[in-house]
Amino acid sequence: GPAGPRGATGAQGVTGAQGVTGAQGQPGATGAQGSTGATGATGATGPAGPQGATGVTGATGPAGPQGNTGPAGAAGPAGAAGPAGPTGSTGAQGISGPTGAKGATGSTGPQGSTGPQGSQGPTGTEGWAVVASDGTLARASNGITVDHPSVGVYYVDANADVTNCAYVATLGDPGSGTFPVGIVSVKQHAGFANQIEVNTWDADDRKNDGGTLKDRGFHVAVHC
């Protein structure tokens, strides 16, 4: 006949004791390597070691041959000639007697001794200077100086009283450059016994009084 209905599930039985641990499985594969960590800070520099002993000095090498003697320099300019001493005074001429008949020429007598030299007279003031347009003293006789206080105005100091002397000035280059064109005039510097004043203009500026002064090179001389 047909099966009877399923009976109700019975109560769960008591849990049995734990079984024995099974054998360890094979090791798993190695994981991928992690990224490199940051580099650590550089350690402090250690102390320097002691300095080694100085080595023995090597022998001195032989001296090189002496070079050729260089050419001699150009000779310097000759100094100015000193002033000549004064000529002694001539004695008074006696009265001329009548001319006698010409006698026979006698033998030359011995030369007489040289008479004493006369005393030297006072030295006169003489001087000259060559001045560039900017007031630079290119060359001059001893003791002369130049001041250039403003355009076209130059004061030449002769280092001696030139009140009663003659002054001569002309435009000129200090060397072999271009000829300066213009006008130059000279006079004693008012209030200064040792100085002369030189003024220079362009060629057309002095036609009317009050013309504009311009710097120009010049040569100047003082004669006393």
Side-chain angles (χ1 to χ4, degrees), residues 165-223:
C165 302
Y167 324 126
V168 181
T170 183
L171 294 180
D173 187 81
S176 58
T178 305
F179 290 105
V181 177
I183 296 173
V184 61
S185 186
V186 60
K187 68 181 183 68
Q188 185 170 20
H189 185 191
F192 297 86
N194 291 2
Q195 295 183 8
I196 60 175
E197 179 179 350
V198 178
N199 288 177
T200 57
W201 296 265
D202 270 343
D204 296 328
D205 280 344
R206 195 66 176 94
K207 289 182 178 179
N208 301 312
D209 289 340
T212 304
L213 292 163
K214 297 293 178 66
D215 284 348
R216 293 289 183 271
F218 61 90
H219 297 224
V220 64
V222 178
H223 302 283

Side-chain angles (χ1 to χ4, degrees), residues 128-156:
W128 56 270
V130 178
V131 182
S133 60
D134 63 356
T136 302
L137 186 64
R139 54 190 176 275
S141 55
N142 292 338
I144 285 188
T145 58
V146 176
D147 186 25
H148 182 34
S150 59
V151 174
V153 177
Y154 307 82
Y155 298 138
V156 180

Side-chain angles (χ1 to χ4, degrees), residues 12 15 18 25 30 58 66 69 82 117 123 138 151 165-166 191 198 202 217 222-224:
Q12 183 174 335
T15 304
Q18 183 172 333
T30 303
Q66 181 172 336
T69 303
Q117 180 174 343
T123 302
V151 174
C165 302
V198 178
D202 270 343
V222 178
H223 302 283
C224 301

